[in-house]
Amino acid sequence: MAREGARQLIASPYRTHAAVEAAFPPGAVRDGEEGRILWRLDTLANDQGVWLYVVSPEAPDLTHIIEQAGWPMHVQWESKNYAPLLSRIAVGQHWQFRLRANPVRRARVDKGRNPKPNGEGIVGKLQGHVTVSQQCDWLVSRAEAHGFELLSDDNGDPSVIVSQRHRERFTREGRTVTLTTAVYDGRLTVTDADLFRRTLCHGLGRAKGFGCGLLTVAPIREPRT
């Protein structure tokens, strides 16, 4: 965050999207059967920096991002093969997860103060979910189709925290784009291994090109006693 180039990237999902795309040569697979390019920016607790995570069919070359947003004299990225993790996925496994998503719904009625005739302008368009409850329900409703379900907490509720909720606006090709985003941290169990592997490689939800949809998992760490 000490560099102006880093702040420019973080402020614009469109700029970060372009930077990530430039990490792959023209002939690289960007969206294919084996997966697509997904990315996410994470601000970690007690950390002064921002982490860029990328999942892609081919390994990226992030030299240009280091030159713009990092310290060129120090190699500051690492690529790992995703195949070992994917091969281990099995029904019944429990994982902790993080997902930054664009939870939206398609409007069926115009609830505005001055609705237009026949719902013109609103009905059929995508609208972002804005409350924690709506955003949590959005994830729960999509879990089965993506090969998992959320574990329950001690109260019987879905074991997930919804945080870093924002309405982001940025310019793309002269037009203003508005995204409603939320970060989900929780615990899940795998219900369909093939679907879950596809989710890890293809993402979940919309706005994947703008830093949403990348689901990452890690072993659940039980609290020490």
Side-chain angles (χ1 to χ4, degrees):
M1 291 295 289
R3 299 197 63 180
E4 177 63 24
R7 294 193 293 271
Q8 290 177 351
L9 285 177
I10 293 167
S12 172
Y14 182 53
R15 288 181 178 176
T16 307
H17 162 74
V20 171
E21 283 287 315
F24 303 90
V29 176
R30 283 167 165 74
D31 189 354
E33 181 59 32
E34 65 267 48
R36 61 164 295 159
I37 298 172
L38 301 165
W39 61 272
R40 187 180 74 224
L41 289 175
D42 274 7
T43 302
L44 305 182
N46 303 320
D47 195 304
Q48 298 299 313
V50 175
W51 292 68
L52 170 64
Y53 291 95
V54 179
V55 169
S56 52
E58 301 179 24
D61 182 343
L62 304 176
T63 303
H64 61 295
I65 296 182
I66 297 299
E67 291 174 346
Q68 178 180 353
W71 308 103
M73 295 299 293
H74 301 275
V75 177
Q76 292 179 293
W77 90 81
E78 180 180 6
S79 294
K80 294 185 177 181
N81 188 355
Y82 220 29
L85 170 65
L86 296 175
S87 66
R88 296 203 314 269
I89 297 298
V91 171
Q93 289 176 336
H94 293 175
W95 297 94
Q96 63 183 23
F97 73 90
R98 171 166 286 187
L99 166 72
R100 182 175 182 269
N102 171 223
V104 297
R105 66 179 180 87
R106 195 170 296 279
R108 297 183 178 180
V109 296
D110 188 345
K111 297 182 179 180
R113 293 183 179 180
N114 299 300
K116 295 181 179 180
N118 301 320
E120 294 179 3
I122 296 295
V123 174
K125 290 189 175 182
L126 294 174
Q127 294 183 319
H129 287 300
V130 295
T131 69
V132 170
S133 177
Q134 290 172 339
Q135 291 171 344
C136 184
D137 290 344
W138 175 89
L139 181 60
V140 171
S141 69
R142 281 155 179 78
E144 181 179 359
H146 289 81
F148 68 95
E149 65 180 18
L150 299 182
L151 294 173
S152 299
D153 61 20
D154 293 338
N155 297 319
D157 298 320
S159 181
V160 62
I161 296 174
V162 184
S163 63
Q164 299 180 38
R165 301 163 56 241
H166 300 290
R167 177 166 291 178
E168 303 180 21
R169 289 183 174 89
F170 57 94
T171 301
R172 179 193 183 191
E173 299 176 352
R175 302 178 61 181
T176 299
V177 178
T178 302
L179 291 180
T180 300
T181 63
V183 173
Y184 299 83
D185 289 290
R187 300 184 301 164
L188 59 78
T189 183
V190 178
T191 57
D192 186 308
D194 289 337
L195 282 177
F196 192 64
R197 276 191 288 266
R198 182 171 180 83
T199 299
L200 292 175
C201 294
H202 287 83
L204 195 164
R206 294 178 176 270
K208 296 184 180 74
F210 299 120
C212 297
L214 173 55
L215 177 75
T216 53
V217 295
I220 293 178
R221 297 177 180 177
E222 299 296 341
R224 295 181 179 179
T225 57

